Amino acid sequence: MNLQELFTDFISLIFPDICFSCQKVLKKGESKICTHCRANLPFTNIHKQNPKENLVTQKFYGKIPIEYGLAFLQFAKGGKVQNLLHQIKYNQQPELAEMLGLWYASELKEQGFQDKFDYIVPVPLHPNKLKIRGYNQSDYFGAGLSKLLEKELANELLQRNTNTSTQTKKSRLERWKNVSKIFEATNPDKIRKKSILLVDDVITTGSTLEACAQALLEAEAASISVASIAIA
């Protein structure tokens, strides 16, 4: 063992990495989420069922046409997934979102989803919020999907024109009013007749994704699908 490896092991003993799901110390070879938690995460398995009629697409019935609705994990208050999302959004751990994107992309690829989309488009943050947080967690989740599905991460195709207040404690109607008409397609020529996969960190009422999808459909996208790390 060389000096660098000895130093790394010494630092790990003093400041051990912990699992972002259960908070226990990670074993050697584990990264961000321990093996036990990974095996026991609440997977939705929606991609193995009917991706056109499921818990995700039900959010958008009667509002906008969704080609495929996908979500990796099931969200529950106080659960492991909420811990992961909190780490991603508020504890400077965007790489965790990318890792989850890679895990999900691996499963989606097994089901043939690499041929379903032309572009992967993350839900954008307002520039002011992006400046404060330093990153867009949806960009990182989308990047993980993009790498394995081998589709372009086109995070320039949508922009957010209004800095809205947090959605956390709003009703369905309040959420819709909060995001309606605040997104704009920036390159209609690139969007036209293309199949878009919109990605976000978590789907609750679906209002934000609905507003994004509307902007892309107005730019004549051929179809809109959605994918998220989790669904509530």
Side-chain angles (χ1 to χ4, degrees):
M1 182 178 289
N2 60 35
L3 186 61
Q4 180 63 42
E5 290 173 328
L6 283 170
F7 179 74
T8 300
D9 286 349
F10 175 71
I11 293 297
S12 296
L13 285 172
I14 302 174
F15 304 106
D17 291 330
I18 62 170
C19 173
F20 288 131
S21 176
C22 68
Q23 314 306 309
K24 293 181 180 178
V25 175
L26 292 173
K27 297 177 182 177
K28 195 167 185 178
E30 295 178 334
S31 176
K32 302 187 186 300
I33 300 176
C34 70
T35 303
H36 175 78
C37 282
R38 178 175 180 176
N40 290 281
L41 286 172
F43 303 107
T44 67
N45 291 316
I46 284 173
H47 59 288
K48 297 178 181 179
Q49 302 161 10
N50 184 348
K52 295 193 176 189
E53 292 184 14
N54 56 54
L55 185 61
V56 178
T57 57
Q58 286 173 9
K59 299 276 188 181
F60 305 97
Y61 281 157
K63 303 179 185 76
I64 53 171
I66 294 296
E67 183 73 8
Y68 298 105
L70 302 163
F72 190 30
L73 304 171
Q74 181 73 53
F75 177 93
K77 284 191 174 183
K80 291 181 178 181
V81 176
Q82 185 175 31
N83 290 341
L84 296 178
L85 292 172
H86 184 86
Q87 293 292 335
I88 290 168
K89 293 180 71 171
Y90 305 115
N91 205 22
Q92 297 293 311
Q93 295 295 331
E95 294 83 3
L96 178 56
E98 184 171 356
M99 186 178 76
L100 292 171
L102 285 166
W103 288 359
Y104 199 25
S106 177
E107 297 194 18
L108 293 176
K109 197 167 185 177
E110 288 182 4
Q111 299 295 318
F113 279 94
Q114 71 271 23
D115 300 321
K116 305 297 185 184
F117 320 113
D118 295 305
Y119 301 124
I120 296 173
V121 178
V123 170
L125 290 179
H126 187 273
N128 291 346
K129 186 173 287 186
L130 183 62
K131 186 176 181 180
I132 294 170
R133 183 173 294 169
Y135 58 89
N136 179 358
Q137 66 276 5
S138 296
D139 281 349
Y140 279 81
F141 179 56
L145 293 172
S146 173
K147 285 178 181 178
L148 279 189
L149 294 180
E150 299 179 1
K151 296 301 175 184
E152 181 182 342
L153 180 68
N155 54 7
E156 81 289 352
L157 291 184
L158 270 180
Q159 68 180 20
R160 192 173 194 138
N161 296 323
T162 305
N163 193 8
T164 57
S165 56
T166 180
Q167 297 276 70
T168 306
K169 295 183 179 180
K170 288 181 167 59
S171 67
R172 160 73 198 179
L173 180 58
E174 288 171 334
R175 284 171 183 259
W176 170 243
K177 289 179 177 178
N178 199 39
V179 298
S180 180
K181 299 297 182 183
I182 68 170
F183 297 100
E184 179 183 357
T186 58
N187 191 341
D189 288 339
K190 186 171 181 177
I191 295 167
R192 189 173 295 114
K193 296 184 179 179
K194 299 297 183 180
S195 296
I196 308 293
L197 177 63
L198 263 175
V199 297
D200 204 359
D201 54 352
V202 60
I203 301 173
T204 49
T205 64
S207 297
T208 300
L209 284 165
E210 184 181 337
C212 289
Q214 188 61 49
L216 293 169
L217 289 171
E218 288 174 0
E220 300 182 26
S223 67
I224 304 294
S225 299
V226 298
S228 67
I229 297 174
I231 183 167

